[in-house]
C-alpha cells in the first residue's frame, strides 16, 4: 500500500547523510536525532522511488542533478519551526534598554541581523516591537534577515502565516499588523517592508559580507545544531561583523562558554546577551 | 544539595542537583555501591546547566567505576551547556546520552510538546505512561487556544487507546485548525469509529493535503466492500488532487474492487505524476498481472513513469519475469537500469543472473555498478574472486559494497578483507568494515577495534566502535 510511513534509516546510512549535511551546512545530527532525519526525508525518498537511504545517498553522490538535490536536502533538514514574539525578553532588552542607551550617546542608525530567520517570524517580531515603541520615527533602523533554507526565505518574503505562528501573541498585535483572510494571516506592508531577506549559509564567510557591520545579531536556537568547531567559526564571524558594543543574542540554552571568551556576558535578568 | 534517587528493577536513576559539585559524584558512587544488583545507572542532568572543568574528571571517574562493576552508565537530559563541555573535552563519544521524560513534570512536558523536534517523542511518552496527572493536562490542552497542544492531546488519546474521549475527538472534526482536524481523523480511524465515516468522506476534498490524506487513510481503515465503489467516483474528477487522493485511498483499501478500478483508471489517466502514483499503487496488490502492467509501463516515454515502474518491480515477487527485467539492466536511463539490477538481486538466486551482471559491469555507470555489487551479494552465488578485485577500486562506494557482498558469501575472506579495510583511506569503508566485524565476531575483534580507535580520526567510526566496545 502507498502510505506516508517513515522509512527507517540504518546506522551507516545515518552516518553518511549526517556527514553530507555537516559538510554543506555545518549542522551536526547526532544519532539520537536519527528519527528527525527519517521524518523529514521519507517523503522525498518516496517521491524519488527510493526504498532506502542508501539509494538516496548514491543519488546525491552520482546523479547528474545532484547539486539540485543537495539544495532540496538542505531545505528539508534546516527547517526550524518558530513563532512570533518567541523569547521576547531579548527583543525587549534590545529595544527598551540597549538602543535607548546607545541613542543617548548620539547613535542614530542601527542595524539588526536575524542570522537564522527561518520563515521570518523573528525579524518581523523585531520590526513590530520597534514600531510599537515608536522607534522608526526616531532612528534609522535596518533589519536584515538570512537563512540557509531558500524555501523558508520564500515564505518569509511572502509574509503569509497560519495560526500556529501566533502562539501566545496578544490579539491586539495580530489585529494591528495582520490581515486575516480565511485561515491566512497576511503581514501588513508597512512591517513587511522593514525587513530585507537574503539566503546565507553561516558556515560561509560570505554570509557576513552580505550584511556589513551590524549592531545586533539574533542567532537563536541554531548553534545547538553545530559542533564546537562550527560554533567557533560562526561566533568568530559574528564578532568580526559586530560594532564595538554590539550585542549577540543566542537561544536560552546556548552558551559561548569555552567557545569564544572575547564577548562579555551580560545577564539582564530575563535573559543573556553577549557584548563585543 | 544531595543527589536524588529512584530505583526501578535493575536501573538506578540519580538526579544531579543544579549546583552540582564533587561531593555529588562521590555521593552517586556511594549509592551505586548500595545496590549491588543494578545493571544500569542513569545520571540525570536535567537541572544542571553547566559543568565546571574539575567535575569532568569526576564524571570520567564514575564512568570508569561503572565499567569496573559491569554497570551501564547513561547520562540523561543533558543540557546544551554540559553537552558543549563534553564535546570540547572530546568526551561526547564516550558517554551514552539519552532523553528521559520521566524526570519531567506534566507542566514541563507540555512546554516540550511545543518544540517540534520533541513533540512526537513526548506524545509517545505520555501515551505510554498515561495517568490521572496527564488526564488533567489533556483537559488544559483542550481549553487552550494552541492548535499544537490540542493536536497533541488528540494523538495522546489515540496512542493510549483512551476510548472514553472519543466524543471529544469527534468534536475536533469541526476545529478551524487543519492540524487538529487531521489528528482527529486519524485517531477516529484508529478507534474504528464507523459512525464518522460519512463525515470523514467530506475531508477527501479538503484544501489541506495532509487532511485529505488522513481522510483517505482513515476511510481505508474503516472500509467495507462499499468503500472502493464510493471512492471510484473520485477517480473521474477533473480535480487532479482529488484523483491523487482517490488512488491513495484505493491503494490503502487494497481489495479486489480497488485493484480493478486502479487498473481501469490506468488506461485513461494522462497526468504523468498520477501515472507514477498508479505504478506504485498497483505494485502493492498481490496479483499475478501486476508484473505485466509494470513491464508495459516501462515502454512509456516519460522517465519518471519508467523509473517508478522499474523501482516497483523490486517490490513484487515476479520470479517468472527475470529475463524481461534483465533486459533493462543496460537501459539508457541510469535509474531504470539501477532499479532493474536491484530487482534481479531480489528475485534471482541463479548463477546465470550473477554471470550476466558480472558481464555488463564494465559497461555501465557508477551507480549501476554499485547496484550490481549489492545484487551479487543478494543473489548469493560465490563471486568473491570478482568482488575481491574491486576492493582496490578507486571509488569508496564500490569498495564498501564489495566488502559487504563478500561478507554475505565468504566469511573467512570477509574477516580478512574487513581487517585490511580498517586501514582504508575512506571512513565509509572503515565503517562498513567495523559493521562486518561486529556481525561476524571473529576471535579478538573487540581488541582489534580498541587498538584501531586509538588512531581513528572520523567521528562516526569512533562512535560506532564505542557503541560496540563500550569502553572509555
Amino acid at each position: 500500500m502507498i502510505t506516508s510511513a517513515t522509512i527507517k534509516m540504518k546506522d551507516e546510512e545515518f552516518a553518511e547523510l549526517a556527514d553530507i549535511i555537516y559538510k554543506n551546512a555545518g549542522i551536526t545530527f547526532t544519532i539520537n536525532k536519527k528519527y528527525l532525519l527519517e521524518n523529514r526525508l521519507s517523503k522525498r525518498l518516496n517521491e524519488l522511488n527510493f526504498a532506502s537511504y542508501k539509494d538516496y545517498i548514491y543519488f546525491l553522490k552520482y546523479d547528474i542533478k545532484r547539486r539540485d538535490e543537495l539544495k532540496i536536502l538542505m531545505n528539508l533538514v534546516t527547517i526550524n519551526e518558530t513563532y512570533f514574539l518567541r523569547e521576547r525578553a531579548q527583543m525587549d532588552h534590545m529595544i527598551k534598554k540597549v538602543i535607548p542607551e546607545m541613542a543617548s550617546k548620539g547613535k542614530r542608525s542601527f542595524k539588526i541581523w536575524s542570522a537564522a530567520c527561518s520563515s521570518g517570524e523573528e525579524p518581523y517580531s523585531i520590526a513590530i516591537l520597534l514600531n510599537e515603541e515608536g522607534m522608526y520615527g526616531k532612528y534609522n533602523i535596518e533589519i536584515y534577515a538570512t537563512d540557509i533554507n531558500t524555501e523558508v526565505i520564500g515564505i518569509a518574503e511572502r509574509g503569509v502565516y497560519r495560526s500556529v505562528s501566533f502562539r501566545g501573541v496578544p490579539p491586539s498585535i495580530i489585529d494591528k499588523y495582520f490581515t486575516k483572510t480565511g485561515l491566512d494571516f497576511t503581514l501588513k506592508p508597512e512591517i513587511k517592508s522593514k525587513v530585507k531577506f537574503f539566503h546565507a549559509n553561516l558556515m560561509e564567510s560570505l554570509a557576513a559580507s552580505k550584511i556589513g557591520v551590524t549592531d545586533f545579531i539574533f542567532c537563536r536556537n541554531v548553534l545547538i545544531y553545530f559542533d564546537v568547531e562550527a560554533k567557533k567559526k560562526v561566533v568568530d564571524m559574528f564578532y568580526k561583523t559586530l560594532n564595538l558594543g554590539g550585542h549577540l543574542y543566542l537561544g536560552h540554552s546556548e552558551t559561548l562558554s569555552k567557545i569564544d571568551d572575547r564577548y562579555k556576558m551580560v545577564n539582564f535578568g530575563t535573559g543573556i546577551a553577549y557584548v563585543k | 544539595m544531595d543527589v536524588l534517587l529512584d530505583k526501578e528493577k535493575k536501573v538506578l536513576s540519580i538526579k544531579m542537583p543544579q549546583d552540582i559539585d564533587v561531593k555529588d559524584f562521590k555521593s552517586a558512587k556511594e549509592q551505586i555501591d548500595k545496590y549491588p544488583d543494578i545493571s544500569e545507572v542513569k545520571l540525570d542532568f536535567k537541572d544542571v546547566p553547566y559543568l565546571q572543568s574539575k567535575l569532568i574528571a569526576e564524571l570520567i571517574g564514575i564512568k570508569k567505576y561503572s565499567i569496573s562493576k559491569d554497570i551501564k552508565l547513561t547520562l540523561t537530559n543533558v543540557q546544551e551547556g554540559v553537552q558543549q563541555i563534553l564535546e570540547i573535552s572530546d568526551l561526547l563519544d564516550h558517554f551514552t546520552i539519552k532523553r528521559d521524560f520521566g524526570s519531567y513534570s506534566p507542566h514541563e512536558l507540555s512546554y516540550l510538546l511545543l518544540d517540534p523536534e520533541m513533540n512526537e517523542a513526548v506524545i509517545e511518552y505520555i501515551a505510554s505512561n498515561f495517568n490521572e496527572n496527564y488526564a488533567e493536562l489533556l483537559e488544559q490542552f483542550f481549553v487552550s487556544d494552541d492548535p499544537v497542544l490540542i493536536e497533541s492531546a488528540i494523538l495522546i488519546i489515540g496512542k493510549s487507546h483512551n476510548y472514553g474521549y472519543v466524543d471529544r475527538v469527534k468534536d475536533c472534526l469541526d476545529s478551524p485548525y487543519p492540524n487538529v482536524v487531521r489528528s482527529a481523523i486519524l485517531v477516529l480511524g484508529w478507534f474504528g469509529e464507523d459512525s464518522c465515516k460519512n463525515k470523514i468522506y467530506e475531508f477527501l476534498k479538503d484544501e489541506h493535503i495532509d487532511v485529505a490524506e488522513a481522510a483517505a487513510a482513515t476511510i481505508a481503515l474503516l472500509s467495507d466492500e462499499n468503500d472502493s465503489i464510493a471512492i471510484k467516483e473520485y477517480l473521474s474528477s477533473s480535480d487532479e488532487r482529488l484523483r491523487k487522493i482517490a488512488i491513495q485511498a484505493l491503494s490503502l483499501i487494497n481489495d479486489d474492487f480497488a485493484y480493478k478500478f486502479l487498473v481501469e483508471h490506468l488506461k485513461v489517466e494522462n497526468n504523468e505524476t498520477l501515472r507514477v502514483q498508479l505504478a506504485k499503487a498497483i505494485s502493492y496488490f498481490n496479483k499475478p498481472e501486476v508484473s505485466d502492467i509494470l513491464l508495459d509501463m516501462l515502454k512509456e516515454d516519460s522517465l519518471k513513469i519508467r523509473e517508478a515502474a522499474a523501482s516497483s518491480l523490486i517490490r513484487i515477487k515476479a520470479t517468472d519475469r527475470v529475463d524481461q527485467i534483465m533486459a533493462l539492466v543496460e537501459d539508457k536511463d541510469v535509474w531504470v537500469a539501477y532499479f532493474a539490477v536491484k530487482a534481479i538481486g531480489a528475485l534471482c538466486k541463479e548463477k546465470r543472473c550473477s554471470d550476466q551482471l558480472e558481464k555488463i559491469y564494465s559497461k555501465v555507470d557508477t551507480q549501476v555498478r554499485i547496484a550490481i555489487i549489492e545484487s551479487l551479494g543478494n543473489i548469493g552465488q560465490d563471486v568473491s574472486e570478482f568482488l575481491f578485485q574491486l576492493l582496490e577500486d578507486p571509488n569508496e562506494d564500490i569498495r564498501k559494497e564489495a566488502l559487504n557482498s563478500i561478507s554475505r558469501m565468504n566469511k573467512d575472506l570477509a574477516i580478512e578483507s574487513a581487517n585490511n579495510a580498517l586501514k582504508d583511506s575512506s571512513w565509509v569503508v572503515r565503517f562498513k568494515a567495523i559493521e562486518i566485524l561486529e556481525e561476524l565476531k571473529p576471535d579478538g575483534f573487540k581488541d582489534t577495534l580498541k587498538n584501531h580507535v586509538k588512531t581513528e580520526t572520523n567521528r562516526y567510526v569512533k562512535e560506532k566502535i564505542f557503541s560496540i566496545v563500550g569502553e572509555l
Side-chain angles (χ1 to χ4, degrees), chain B residues 152-192:
Chain B
S152 302
I154 296 167
L155 292 172
I156 288 166
I157 289 165
K159 293 192 174 197
S160 58
H161 308 290
N162 259 299
Y163 193 77
Y165 286 91
V166 69
D167 289 334
R168 268 275 179 62
V169 178
K170 282 183 194 171
D171 290 344
C172 290
L173 291 176
D174 299 320
S175 165
Y177 304 118
N179 61 322
V180 172
V181 176
R182 176 187 167 275
S183 55
I185 290 171
L186 288 174
V187 169
L188 290 168
W190 301 345
F191 282 169

Side-chain angles (χ1 to χ4, degrees), chain B residues 145-350:
Chain B
D145 61 354
D146 191 318
V148 175
L149 292 180
I150 302 171
E151 177 191 17
S152 302
I154 296 167
L155 292 172
I156 288 166
I157 289 165
K159 293 192 174 197
S160 58
H161 308 290
N162 259 299
Y163 193 77
Y165 286 91
V166 69
D167 289 334
R168 268 275 179 62
V169 178
K170 282 183 194 171
D171 290 344
C172 290
L173 291 176
D174 299 320
S175 165
Y177 304 118
N179 61 322
V180 172
V181 176
R182 176 187 167 275
S183 55
I185 290 171
L186 288 174
V187 169
L188 290 168
W190 301 345
F191 282 169
E193 195 55 35
D194 285 314
S195 63
C196 301
K197 198 159 77 179
N198 286 341
K199 184 162 186 174
I200 289 171
Y201 260 96
E202 293 167 22
F203 291 108
L204 288 173
K205 297 175 187 168
D206 196 276
E207 63 165 310
H208 300 96
I209 189 71
D210 287 356
V211 173
E213 286 183 351
T218 290
I219 289 167
L221 271 179
L222 303 175
S223 65
D224 55 36
E225 65 278 5
N226 298 316
D227 287 294
S228 291
I229 296 164
I231 285 176
K232 182 197 171 200
E233 302 306 314
Y234 294 94
L235 288 175
S236 50
S237 164
S238 57
D239 180 350
E240 178 188 313
R241 217 183 59 126
L242 200 50
R243 299 206 300 280
K244 181 186 172 206
I245 294 295
I247 293 168
Q248 195 167 353
L250 288 169
S251 170
L252 288 163
I253 291 173
N254 212 254
D255 63 9
D256 287 347
F257 283 116
Y259 176 72
K260 184 181 157 208
F261 299 147
L262 287 172
V263 172
E264 280 173 5
H265 186 61
L266 183 64
K267 292 172 190 159
V268 294
E269 180 60 66
N270 292 319
N271 180 289
E272 183 188 49
T273 308
L274 295 188
R275 289 190 73 76
V276 165
Q277 205 193 355
L278 277 165
K280 292 183 198 174
I282 289 170
S283 74
Y284 282 103
F285 287 83
N286 185 18
K287 302 276 184 190
E289 318 86 75
V290 168
S291 54
D292 289 329
I293 293 171
L294 294 176
L295 286 166
D296 270 351
M297 291 184 88
L298 279 160
K299 293 173 193 154
E300 297 192 25
D301 292 332
S302 156
L303 270 187
K304 284 184 182 172
I305 294 170
R306 296 184 77 239
E307 287 178 10
S311 70
S312 299
L313 286 170
I314 301 171
R315 209 171 292 125
I316 59 171
K317 305 292 174 210
T319 48
D320 56 337
R321 294 289 186 273
V322 166
D323 291 334
Q324 283 153 288
I325 298 170
M326 189 64 94
L328 299 165
V329 296
E330 290 183 86
D331 195 274
K332 60 183 187 302
D333 174 23
V334 69
W335 290 105
V336 169
Y338 179 90
F339 291 128
V341 168
K342 291 190 77 144
I344 293 291
L347 297 173
C348 183
K349 302 292 165 209
E350 296 168 26

Side-chain angles (χ1 to χ4, degrees), chain B residues 438-462:
Chain B
E438 182 188 17
E439 191 189 331
L440 300 179
K441 295 185 175 38
D443 288 343
F445 85 99
K446 284 196 175 181
D447 291 332
T448 306
L449 296 184
K450 280 179 199 170
N451 280 328
H452 176 73
V453 82
K454 290 174 192 165
T455 52
E456 178 58 58
T457 53
N458 180 274
R459 72 167 95 162
Y460 307 108
V461 179
K462 283 204 280 191

Side-chain angles (χ1 to χ4, degrees), chain A:
Chain A
M1 289 174 290
I2 295 180
T3 67
S4 51
T6 309
I7 299 171
K8 293 291 168 198
M9 196 180 282
K10 292 179 182 165
D11 285 354
E12 64 165 313
E13 295 168 337
F14 169 77
E16 279 213 61
L17 271 172
D19 192 55
I20 291 169
I21 293 164
Y22 177 74
K23 282 178 178 152
N24 286 281
I27 297 169
T28 304
F29 276 90
T30 49
I31 191 79
N32 57 354
K33 294 272 178 72
K34 189 163 83 170
Y35 74 95
L36 203 65
L37 280 185
E38 289 171 344
N39 287 347
R40 292 186 177 183
L41 300 182
S42 290
K43 196 174 173 189
R44 182 65 188 149
L45 262 67
N46 195 32
E47 283 167 2
L48 292 167
N49 304 310
F50 293 137
S52 75
Y53 293 93
K54 187 159 79 169
D55 295 336
Y56 185 56
I57 290 163
Y58 292 145
F59 185 72
L60 283 166
K61 283 174 121 172
Y62 301 112
D63 194 76
I64 49 168
K65 287 179 271 180
R66 58 185 176 272
R67 283 178 190 277
D68 295 338
E69 187 58 33
L70 196 57
K71 282 182 195 159
I72 293 171
L73 171 67
M74 289 303 120
N75 282 351
L76 287 170
V77 299
T78 57
I79 293 169
N80 189 9
E81 290 180 45
T82 185
Y83 46 93
F84 282 93
L85 302 186
R86 185 179 185 185
E87 293 177 37
R88 175 180 172 165
Q90 293 174 323
M91 298 178 192
D92 284 338
H93 177 254
M94 174 184 75
I95 293 166
K96 294 182 177 172
K97 177 119 174 58
V98 186
I99 290 181
E101 275 176 11
M102 288 179 170
S104 70
K105 293 171 188 162
K107 191 170 169 61
R108 286 292 175 269
S109 294
F110 299 93
K111 195 188 279 183
I112 301 163
W113 178 16
S114 170
C117 66
S118 189
S119 38
E121 286 89 336
E122 179 179 85
Y124 286 141
S125 295
I126 293 170
I128 287 169
L129 293 178
L130 285 165
N131 197 58
E132 286 290 291
E133 284 298 309
M135 294 284 194
Y136 281 112
K138 293 183 198 166
Y139 312 115
N140 174 29
I141 298 174
E142 292 174 293
I143 304 176
Y144 292 94
T146 60
D147 202 281
I148 189 174
N149 190 317
T150 51
E151 207 164 296
V152 293
I153 291 277
I155 294 170
E157 286 177 330
R158 280 194 294 280
V160 180
Y161 296 91
R162 289 288 168 98
S163 54
V164 76
S165 289
F166 297 98
R167 231 170 261 162
V169 177
S172 58
I173 292 278
I174 300 175
D175 293 344
K176 186 172 173 183
Y177 293 102
F178 295 86
T179 308
K180 190 169 186 293
T181 315
L183 296 170
D184 293 337
F185 294 80
T186 306
L187 185 66
K188 291 189 175 167
E190 60 264 33
I191 291 299
K192 211 170 125 181
S193 62
K194 304 287 188 206
V195 183
K196 294 185 182 82
F197 291 97
F198 301 99
H199 168 256
N201 181 348
L202 293 178
M203 293 306 293
E204 292 169 1
S205 49
L206 270 176
S209 65
K210 287 179 181 172
I211 307 298
V213 185
T214 185
D215 299 296
F216 300 95
I217 299 174
F218 285 79
C219 184
R220 304 186 301 173
N221 306 307
V222 175
L223 294 185
I224 45 172
Y225 299 107
F226 292 170
D227 70 355
V228 166
E229 282 315 302
K231 280 176 189 168
K232 284 181 176 173
K233 191 174 171 186
V234 171
V235 169
D236 177 62
M237 186 256 290
F238 287 160
Y239 193 83
K240 288 171 182 156
T241 309
L242 278 170
N243 273 321
L244 194 63
H247 284 53
L248 167 64
Y249 295 101
L250 302 176
H252 73 275
S253 67
E254 295 166 328
T255 168
L256 291 190
S257 172
K258 309 272 185 192
I259 297 291
D260 195 323
D261 57 8
R262 292 172 297 173
Y263 290 87
K264 182 184 165 198
M265 190 176 90
V266 175
N267 188 334
F268 52 87
T270 48
I272 285 169
Y274 292 92
V275 183
K276 178 174 175 180

